[in-house]
Amino acid sequence: MNNAKALVIGGSRNIGYHSAVRLLDLGVTVTFLLRSPKVFDNDSTIQRYVHTGKAQLVKGDALVKDDVQRAWDAAKSNDSDSRPVDFLIFTVGGIPHFELTKGFVISPPNLVTQSLLNTLNTLPTPHPKIITISSTGLTRVSHATLPLPLKPVYGYLLTVPHKDKCGAEQVIAHCAGWSWDKADSPGSEVMGDRWEERVPARGLLKDIVVVRPALLTDGDCCAEKAGKNGSMAYRAQEGDMKKSWTISRKDVAHFLVEGVVKNWNEWVGKCVSVAY
């Protein structure tokens, strides 16, 4: 992993941040696209890697296509031989606020979908391996597998942000050539008009993994406490998972790097649910 390159979009906090630190610790050169690079001014971990040249901070907004293009260009040129970028880690998510009639909302309500469209619209060749973070319970089939007490949480409190993530999954399904139930589409208010023209042709992208965590918490990384068999601290399986309750953001980051990045052939081309 010491010579690998990664572009992380959505890495200022939470899963993206913890994943990026794990990659940096493995020797991966990481480029961050950040609306405010100042978020890392007092972060000694990131600053240590910035000073050694292993971390690069690019100021920009994933909602702006030209900013995303600059991030790709910076990630590629971040060494002497301009090798291609190996991994895209896409973990964009807004900071929600609560509204009585809508539950938690983000601004704009299609932040994730439109950021992903810009990212794939500027995707370099050869294509990097792509890992995106989604959620359980987005589609009708997935929602049906949720534990009963969580269904109101997903059906009311998280409706708006999950509609956005559902749009992102539809984009990935199109690009990867996966089946998609049109009844699960969030509609043009999230997708935009003629969105298919902004991304690679259907079925063109094969090196993709979608990670669907259960309800996220800010708990510790249980996998680290578990030692050598850290992966046994949580469950991971293709498709929907029954009795999928919660998982910490740090454990999702552990799976993203220790599970997916290090065992790419096991998970490539799959939507993977992760939960305790």
mmCIF file of all heavy atoms in Angstrom, residues 106-133:
data_model
loop_
_atom_site.group_PDB
_atom_site.id
_atom_site.type_symbol
_atom_site.label_atom_id
_atom_site.label_comp_id
_atom_site.label_asym_id
_atom_site.label_seq_id
_atom_site.Cartn_x
_atom_site.Cartn_y
_atom_site.Cartn_z
ATOM 1 N N ILE A 106 -30.714 18.031 5.279
ATOM 2 C CA ILE A 106 -29.416 18.590 4.941
ATOM 3 C C ILE A 106 -29.623 19.632 3.850
ATOM 4 O O ILE A 106 -30.656 19.655 3.186
ATOM 5 C CB ILE A 106 -28.439 17.497 4.461
ATOM 6 C CG1 ILE A 106 -29.020 16.738 3.259
ATOM 7 C CG2 ILE A 106 -28.095 16.535 5.582
ATOM 8 C CD1 ILE A 106 -28.065 15.747 2.638
ATOM 9 N N SER A 107 -28.642 20.485 3.679
ATOM 10 C CA SER A 107 -28.748 21.540 2.673
ATOM 11 C C SER A 107 -27.486 21.554 1.801
ATOM 12 O O SER A 107 -26.384 21.661 2.336
ATOM 13 C CB SER A 107 -28.930 22.897 3.340
ATOM 14 O OG SER A 107 -29.060 23.922 2.373
ATOM 15 N N PRO A 108 -27.672 21.406 0.482
ATOM 16 C CA PRO A 108 -28.922 21.147 -0.224
ATOM 17 C C PRO A 108 -29.372 19.700 -0.005
ATOM 18 O O PRO A 108 -28.552 18.847 0.351
ATOM 19 C CB PRO A 108 -28.552 21.398 -1.697
ATOM 20 C CG PRO A 108 -27.106 21.055 -1.776
ATOM 21 C CD PRO A 108 -26.518 21.499 -0.464
ATOM 22 N N PRO A 109 -30.647 19.408 -0.232
ATOM 23 C CA PRO A 109 -31.152 18.055 0.039
ATOM 24 C C PRO A 109 -30.630 16.990 -0.907
ATOM 25 O O PRO A 109 -30.837 15.801 -0.656
ATOM 26 C CB PRO A 109 -32.669 18.222 -0.101
ATOM 27 C CG PRO A 109 -32.846 19.413 -0.973
ATOM 28 C CD PRO A 109 -31.721 20.335 -0.642
ATOM 29 N N ASN A 110 -29.954 17.381 -1.988
ATOM 30 C CA ASN A 110 -29.368 16.410 -2.912
ATOM 31 C C ASN A 110 -27.847 16.504 -2.918
ATOM 32 O O ASN A 110 -27.192 16.217 -3.914
ATOM 33 C CB ASN A 110 -29.911 16.612 -4.328
ATOM 34 C CG ASN A 110 -29.671 18.027 -4.853
ATOM 35 O OD1 ASN A 110 -29.100 18.876 -4.164
ATOM 36 N ND2 ASN A 110 -30.099 18.280 -6.079
ATOM 37 N N LEU A 111 -27.276 16.879 -1.783
ATOM 38 C CA LEU A 111 -25.827 17.074 -1.648
ATOM 39 C C LEU A 111 -25.022 15.858 -2.082
ATOM 40 O O LEU A 111 -24.082 15.960 -2.867
ATOM 41 C CB LEU A 111 -25.498 17.422 -0.191
ATOM 42 C CG LEU A 111 -24.016 17.408 0.195
ATOM 43 C CD1 LEU A 111 -23.277 18.543 -0.488
ATOM 44 C CD2 LEU A 111 -23.861 17.505 1.718
ATOM 45 N N VAL A 112 -25.380 14.691 -1.578
ATOM 46 C CA VAL A 112 -24.603 13.483 -1.847
ATOM 47 C C VAL A 112 -24.693 13.086 -3.318
ATOM 48 O O VAL A 112 -23.687 12.823 -3.984
ATOM 49 C CB VAL A 112 -25.066 12.327 -0.942
ATOM 50 C CG1 VAL A 112 -24.291 11.054 -1.259
ATOM 51 C CG2 VAL A 112 -24.896 12.700 0.526
ATOM 52 N N THR A 113 -25.912 13.068 -3.845
ATOM 53 C CA THR A 113 -26.118 12.650 -5.231
ATOM 54 C C THR A 113 -25.399 13.564 -6.202
ATOM 55 O O THR A 113 -24.689 13.103 -7.113
ATOM 56 C CB THR A 113 -27.617 12.610 -5.560
ATOM 57 O OG1 THR A 113 -28.270 11.691 -4.679
ATOM 58 C CG2 THR A 113 -27.843 12.177 -6.997
ATOM 59 N N GLN A 114 -25.555 14.872 -6.028
ATOM 60 C CA GLN A 114 -24.943 15.805 -6.966
ATOM 61 C C GLN A 114 -23.432 15.833 -6.832
ATOM 62 O O GLN A 114 -22.710 15.987 -7.831
ATOM 63 C CB GLN A 114 -25.533 17.207 -6.773
ATOM 64 C CG GLN A 114 -27.008 17.302 -7.130
ATOM 65 C CD GLN A 114 -27.282 16.862 -8.569
ATOM 66 O OE1 GLN A 114 -26.582 17.267 -9.493
ATOM 67 N NE2 GLN A 114 -28.304 16.026 -8.749
ATOM 68 N N SER A 115 -22.915 15.655 -5.631
ATOM 69 C CA SER A 115 -21.466 15.571 -5.444
ATOM 70 C C SER A 115 -20.907 14.327 -6.121
ATOM 71 O O SER A 115 -19.843 14.370 -6.756
ATOM 72 C CB SER A 115 -21.127 15.551 -3.951
ATOM 73 O OG SER A 115 -21.499 16.762 -3.322
ATOM 74 N N LEU A 116 -21.638 13.219 -6.020
ATOM 75 C CA LEU A 116 -21.193 11.993 -6.670
ATOM 76 C C LEU A 116 -21.236 12.131 -8.192
ATOM 77 O O LEU A 116 -20.333 11.668 -8.897
ATOM 78 C CB LEU A 116 -22.050 10.814 -6.225
ATOM 79 C CG LEU A 116 -21.681 9.450 -6.819
ATOM 80 C CD1 LEU A 116 -20.251 9.056 -6.434
ATOM 81 C CD2 LEU A 116 -22.665 8.377 -6.370
ATOM 82 N N LEU A 117 -22.284 12.774 -8.708
ATOM 83 C CA LEU A 117 -22.372 12.983 -10.156
ATOM 84 C C LEU A 117 -21.174 13.787 -10.660
ATOM 85 O O LEU A 117 -20.573 13.463 -11.694
ATOM 86 C CB LEU A 117 -23.679 13.687 -10.503
ATOM 87 C CG LEU A 117 -24.942 12.830 -10.422
ATOM 88 C CD1 LEU A 117 -26.195 13.699 -10.505
ATOM 89 C CD2 LEU A 117 -24.965 11.776 -11.525
ATOM 90 N N ASN A 118 -20.786 14.829 -9.931
ATOM 91 C CA ASN A 118 -19.611 15.603 -10.319
ATOM 92 C C ASN A 118 -18.337 14.780 -10.247
ATOM 93 O O ASN A 118 -17.447 14.903 -11.098
ATOM 94 C CB ASN A 118 -19.472 16.837 -9.417
ATOM 95 C CG ASN A 118 -20.426 17.943 -9.777
ATOM 96 O OD1 ASN A 118 -20.887 18.040 -10.909
ATOM 97 N ND2 ASN A 118 -20.746 18.791 -8.808
ATOM 98 N N THR A 119 -18.256 13.938 -9.238
ATOM 99 C CA THR A 119 -17.057 13.113 -9.056
ATOM 100 C C THR A 119 -16.904 12.100 -10.185
ATOM 101 O O THR A 119 -15.809 11.901 -10.723
ATOM 102 C CB THR A 119 -17.111 12.392 -7.701
ATOM 103 O OG1 THR A 119 -17.229 13.364 -6.655
ATOM 104 C CG2 THR A 119 -15.856 11.565 -7.472
ATOM 105 N N LEU A 120 -17.999 11.471 -10.559
ATOM 106 C CA LEU A 120 -17.935 10.483 -11.636
ATOM 107 C C LEU A 120 -17.847 11.144 -13.006
ATOM 108 O O LEU A 120 -17.291 10.565 -13.948
ATOM 109 C CB LEU A 120 -19.159 9.562 -11.566
ATOM 110 C CG LEU A 120 -19.274 8.720 -10.293
ATOM 111 C CD1 LEU A 120 -20.498 7.813 -10.368
ATOM 112 C CD2 LEU A 120 -18.020 7.894 -10.047
ATOM 113 N N ASN A 121 -18.364 12.347 -13.122
ATOM 114 C CA ASN A 121 -18.281 13.088 -14.380
ATOM 115 C C ASN A 121 -16.842 13.465 -14.713
ATOM 116 O O ASN A 121 -16.480 13.610 -15.879
ATOM 117 C CB ASN A 121 -19.148 14.347 -14.292
ATOM 118 C CG ASN A 121 -19.201 15.115 -15.590
ATOM 119 O OD1 ASN A 121 -18.920 16.311 -15.618
ATOM 120 N ND2 ASN A 121 -19.556 14.455 -16.678
ATOM 121 N N THR A 122 -16.012 13.602 -13.681
ATOM 122 C CA THR A 122 -14.610 13.990 -13.868
ATOM 123 C C THR A 122 -13.657 12.817 -13.638
ATOM 124 O O THR A 122 -12.448 13.014 -13.547
ATOM 125 C CB THR A 122 -14.252 15.129 -12.898
ATOM 126 O OG1 THR A 122 -14.588 14.739 -11.556
ATOM 127 C CG2 THR A 122 -15.016 16.397 -13.248
ATOM 128 N N LEU A 123 -14.196 11.619 -13.550
ATOM 129 C CA LEU A 123 -13.404 10.430 -13.226
ATOM 130 C C LEU A 123 -12.265 10.240 -14.235
ATOM 131 O O LEU A 123 -12.495 10.225 -15.443
ATOM 132 C CB LEU A 123 -14.313 9.204 -13.244
ATOM 133 C CG LEU A 123 -13.811 7.925 -12.569
ATOM 134 C CD1 LEU A 123 -13.745 8.127 -11.064
ATOM 135 C CD2 LEU A 123 -14.741 6.760 -12.906
ATOM 136 N N PRO A 124 -11.044 10.106 -13.758
ATOM 137 C CA PRO A 124 -9.916 9.947 -14.686
ATOM 138 C C PRO A 124 -9.821 8.514 -15.219
ATOM 139 O O PRO A 124 -10.462 7.592 -14.689
ATOM 140 C CB PRO A 124 -8.702 10.266 -13.810
ATOM 141 C CG PRO A 124 -9.130 9.837 -12.430
ATOM 142 C CD PRO A 124 -10.607 10.137 -12.349
ATOM 143 N N THR A 125 -9.065 8.332 -16.252
ATOM 144 C CA THR A 125 -8.728 7.001 -16.753
ATOM 145 C C THR A 125 -7.222 6.803 -16.636
ATOM 146 O O THR A 125 -6.460 7.743 -16.898
ATOM 147 C CB THR A 125 -9.162 6.835 -18.218
ATOM 148 O OG1 THR A 125 -8.651 7.921 -18.986
ATOM 149 C CG2 THR A 125 -10.673 6.813 -18.333
ATOM 150 N N PRO A 126 -6.777 5.611 -16.255
ATOM 151 C CA PRO A 126 -7.613 4.469 -15.876
ATOM 152 C C PRO A 126 -8.421 4.756 -14.612
ATOM 153 O O PRO A 126 -7.992 5.519 -13.760
ATOM 154 C CB PRO A 126 -6.592 3.357 -15.633
ATOM 155 C CG PRO A 126 -5.323 4.078 -15.276
ATOM 156 C CD PRO A 126 -5.326 5.325 -16.097
ATOM 157 N N HIS A 127 -9.604 4.128 -14.530
ATOM 158 C CA HIS A 127 -10.492 4.389 -13.410
ATOM 159 C C HIS A 127 -9.923 3.848 -12.105
ATOM 160 O O HIS A 127 -9.389 2.731 -12.079
ATOM 161 C CB HIS A 127 -11.859 3.738 -13.652
ATOM 162 C CG HIS A 127 -12.540 4.250 -14.879
ATOM 163 N ND1 HIS A 127 -13.301 3.437 -15.695
ATOM 164 C CD2 HIS A 127 -12.593 5.480 -15.428
ATOM 165 C CE1 HIS A 127 -13.783 4.146 -16.704
ATOM 166 N NE2 HIS A 127 -13.372 5.385 -16.562
ATOM 167 N N PRO A 128 -10.044 4.607 -11.026
ATOM 168 C CA PRO A 128 -9.629 4.086 -9.713
ATOM 169 C C PRO A 128 -10.658 3.102 -9.171
ATOM 170 O O PRO A 128 -11.783 3.015 -9.671
ATOM 171 C CB PRO A 128 -9.580 5.345 -8.852
ATOM 172 C CG PRO A 128 -10.637 6.226 -9.442
ATOM 173 C CD PRO A 128 -10.580 5.972 -10.941
ATOM 174 N N LYS A 129 -10.273 2.378 -8.147
ATOM 175 C CA LYS A 129 -11.227 1.580 -7.387
ATOM 176 C C LYS A 129 -12.078 2.549 -6.561
ATOM 177 O O LYS A 129 -11.557 3.494 -5.973
ATOM 178 C CB LYS A 129 -10.491 0.589 -6.478
ATOM 179 C CG LYS A 129 -9.658 -0.450 -7.219
ATOM 180 C CD LYS A 129 -8.915 -1.341 -6.239
ATOM 181 C CE LYS A 129 -8.181 -2.471 -6.946
ATOM 182 N NZ LYS A 129 -7.039 -1.976 -7.769
ATOM 183 N N ILE A 130 -13.385 2.305 -6.539
ATOM 184 C CA ILE A 130 -14.320 3.254 -5.923
ATOM 185 C C ILE A 130 -15.018 2.601 -4.728
ATOM 186 O O ILE A 130 -15.576 1.502 -4.846
ATOM 187 C CB ILE A 130 -15.376 3.714 -6.939
ATOM 188 C CG1 ILE A 130 -14.698 4.430 -8.123
ATOM 189 C CG2 ILE A 130 -16.412 4.621 -6.279
ATOM 190 C CD1 ILE A 130 -15.642 4.705 -9.277
ATOM 191 N N ILE A 131 -14.979 3.296 -3.596
ATOM 192 C CA ILE A 131 -15.724 2.866 -2.412
ATOM 193 C C ILE A 131 -16.622 4.009 -1.980
ATOM 194 O O ILE A 131 -16.154 5.128 -1.747
ATOM 195 C CB ILE A 131 -14.789 2.497 -1.245
ATOM 196 C CG1 ILE A 131 -13.777 1.424 -1.678
ATOM 197 C CG2 ILE A 131 -15.607 2.009 -0.046
ATOM 198 C CD1 ILE A 131 -12.722 1.125 -0.622
ATOM 199 N N THR A 132 -17.921 3.756 -1.901
ATOM 200 C CA THR A 132 -18.861 4.781 -1.452
ATOM 201 C C THR A 132 -19.598 4.287 -0.205
ATOM 202 O O THR A 132 -19.823 3.086 -0.039
ATOM 203 C CB THR A 132 -19.896 5.133 -2.541
ATOM 204 O OG1 THR A 132 -20.788 4.029 -2.732
ATOM 205 C CG2 THR A 132 -19.211 5.460 -3.854
ATOM 206 N N ILE A 133 -19.954 5.247 0.633
ATOM 207 C CA ILE A 133 -20.709 4.936 1.844
ATOM 208 C C ILE A 133 -22.177 5.286 1.626
ATOM 209 O O ILE A 133 -22.507 6.405 1.228
ATOM 210 C CB ILE A 133 -20.174 5.711 3.056
ATOM 211 C CG1 ILE A 133 -18.734 5.288 3.368
ATOM 212 C CG2 ILE A 133 -21.058 5.481 4.285
ATOM 213 C CD1 ILE A 133 -18.581 3.846 3.795
#
